[in-house]
Amino acid sequence: MPLVVGDLVGVGGLWVKNMVERCFNEEEARIILSMSISKFGCPDQIMWHYTRNGMYSVKSGYKVAQDMNSNGELGRKGVGQSSGDHVKDLIWGAIWQLKVPPKLSHFIGKGCKNILAVRSNLQRRGIQLEIVCPHCGDDMETQVHLFFKCSFARVFWFGSPLQLDVVSVEGEDFLACWNWLLKKYGVAEEGDRLMRWVVCGLWRIWKCRNSMVFEQTLVEPNVALELLQKHWGEIERCEQSQVRPARSSRLGEGEEVPVRWVKPPFRTIKLNCDGAWHKETRRGGFGWVAQDFAGIFKGAGGMGNVCCDSDSDGGSGGGASSFGGMCGEGLWVCSN
Ligand SMILES: [Zn+2]
């Protein structure tokens, strides 16, 4: 099964027709095969289909889920298997798009499938054990009880940066509660960030529960909140350290700045160009890549080994100004 577009392109830069026809329905295959393949190529990347810039956000994921729910495609009432599978793919896709370590995404995924090893689930699998909550001893340890109903969880969430009153959380199972949290936090301005707090909070409760069960160590809610803050700081630092250094626009300059492609205005093609020039040989070259306002690749090209009198001819500034002379309204030229 092909994973990226490049897997559908064969020798000579042509579509592998039978593979395209095998992987897509007739209409999709016809559209794909009618598209010309870039001569110069560009890196494959995974795009989120439901936003213009191809980037996933919790808000957009939630909106898709809501649309599918209103269309009856959520599959919770035993409707079509394929629709249900599609929604599951969306849910897992959304979970995996959260900027948290993979083990946390995996943990949330298991929660949504109701397969975390809480005592009620272990009993369901035929393991004989006491199923009372190890924290409060007041109720059966289900996922919903552990994360939202237990007195420990109530204190923890209210003391967290979210200041969540868990009495307000609605849902008969973890997945429903997760969707409730998505509705409350995911659609907010800082939805991705707030959902990361939710994930870290759920993880911390799980860790505290495991300390109690496996090490007989009670972690008080205030200590759990300190650990939550510490964990959050680690995730933030890790994310910041993953910001790639920018490639210098001129040879020899290496200032590190965050790399972020800025989309052009609606109905505008953005042309990013860059170039290099060698002082001794007085030769240089430049390249360009065109993307539309949604970040969709439109074309690429360039020239190399060109004789230039100065770096302003071969460098990115020269490239941009040259293109600038060719452009009218509807085309942006940038060197970053
Ligand atoms: Zn409890």
Side-chain angles (χ1 to χ4, degrees):
M1 182 74 182
L3 296 175
V4 292
V5 177
D7 296 340
L8 297 168
V9 179
V11 183
L14 298 172
W15 293 114
V16 183
K17 189 164 179 276
N18 60 352
M19 190 182 285
V20 172
E21 288 172 341
R22 202 171 67 232
C23 297
F24 298 92
N25 66 39
E26 194 177 336
E27 176 66 10
E28 289 169 339
R30 189 185 62 74
I31 294 169
I32 291 169
L33 292 171
S34 69
M35 293 163 70
S36 56
I37 300 174
S38 164
K39 190 176 171 186
F40 301 97
C42 72
D44 265 322
Q45 58 181 314
I46 294 175
M47 310 283 289
W48 175 246
H49 181 67
Y50 302 95
T51 53
R52 281 184 177 169
N53 63 1
M55 301 292 288
Y56 173 80
S57 69
V58 172
K59 189 175 180 178
S60 67
Y62 179 74
K63 187 175 181 307
V64 171
Q66 287 296 95
D67 289 346
M68 299 192 79
N69 192 27
S70 61
N71 292 337
E73 294 182 76
L74 269 180
R76 285 196 140 220
K77 293 172 184 169
V79 293
Q81 182 66 32
S82 57
S83 297
D85 286 349
H86 183 48
V87 172
K88 278 179 193 166
D89 287 347
L90 279 174
I91 291 172
W92 303 148
I95 291 169
W96 280 93
Q97 292 282 353
L98 286 170
K99 289 174 185 162
V100 294
K103 69 176 179 184
L104 267 64
S105 304
H106 195 61
F107 159 73
I108 297 297
K110 287 173 83 171
C112 288
K113 288 180 183 172
N114 195 26
I115 56 170
L116 286 173
V118 293
R119 290 176 168 176
S120 59
N121 285 349
L122 293 172
Q123 190 191 53
R124 198 179 65 223
R125 290 181 218 162
I127 299 169
Q128 297 297 315
L129 79 172
E130 179 66 61
I131 61 166
V132 73
C133 170
H135 266 136
C136 66
D138 288 339
D139 210 340
M140 185 167 69
E141 193 200 35
T142 62
Q143 290 188 180
V144 171
H145 174 84
L146 172 67
F147 293 111
F148 303 109
K149 303 297 179 195
C150 184
S151 53
F152 178 92
R154 284 187 184 186
V155 176
F156 176 85
W157 283 119
F158 197 69
S160 77
L162 297 172
Q163 292 193 308
L164 170 64
D165 179 1
V166 289
V167 175
S168 62
V169 178
E170 295 169 8
E172 71 277 16
D173 56 22
F174 184 95
L175 179 60
C177 293
W178 172 257
N179 282 330
W180 186 91
L181 291 162
L182 268 177
K183 190 176 177 184
K184 180 176 176 64
Y185 296 114
V187 297
E189 185 73 20
E190 285 193 293
D192 288 30
R193 184 178 167 84
L194 293 173
M195 286 311 294
R196 286 211 297 278
W197 274 115
V198 169
V199 172
C200 290
L202 291 166
W203 175 253
R204 185 50 46 196
I205 291 174
W206 180 242
K207 295 288 282 181
C208 292
R209 178 265 182 198
N210 288 340
S211 291
M212 176 66 97
V213 171
F214 300 116
E215 298 163 23
Q216 289 74 52
T217 304
L218 171 65
V219 181
E220 297 287 353
N222 61 323
V223 177
L225 287 166
E226 285 174 21
L227 293 169
L228 171 68
Q229 292 281 0
K230 199 174 159 195
H231 188 201
W232 175 265
E234 287 170 4
I235 289 176
E236 289 275 282
R237 277 195 297 279
C238 181
E239 190 185 334
Q240 284 162 12
S241 69
Q242 287 174 355
V243 174
R244 291 173 297 141
R247 201 161 69 85
S248 166
S249 59
R250 302 283 175 91
L251 293 176
E253 297 172 7
E255 189 184 358
E256 289 199 358
V257 292
V259 178
R260 183 164 294 179
W261 186 79
V262 179
K263 66 180 180 181
F266 184 58
R267 286 185 177 166
T268 304
I269 301 291
K270 182 176 181 181
L271 203 65
N272 283 93
C273 53
D274 200 359
W277 175 72
H278 196 273
K279 193 175 177 182
E280 270 70 44
T281 63
R282 305 192 90 69
R283 301 192 83 81
F286 68 93
W288 58 270
V289 59
Q291 291 165 280
D292 69 7
F293 53 91
I296 306 295
F297 174 78
K298 292 293 177 185
M303 292 179 72
N305 203 24
V306 181
C307 192
C308 313
D309 286 336
S310 71
D311 67 339
S312 63
D313 292 335
S316 60
S321 60
S322 305
F323 280 119
M326 306 176 348
C327 310
E329 198 176 340
L331 184 60
W332 270 23
V333 180
C334 304
S335 57
N336 52 30

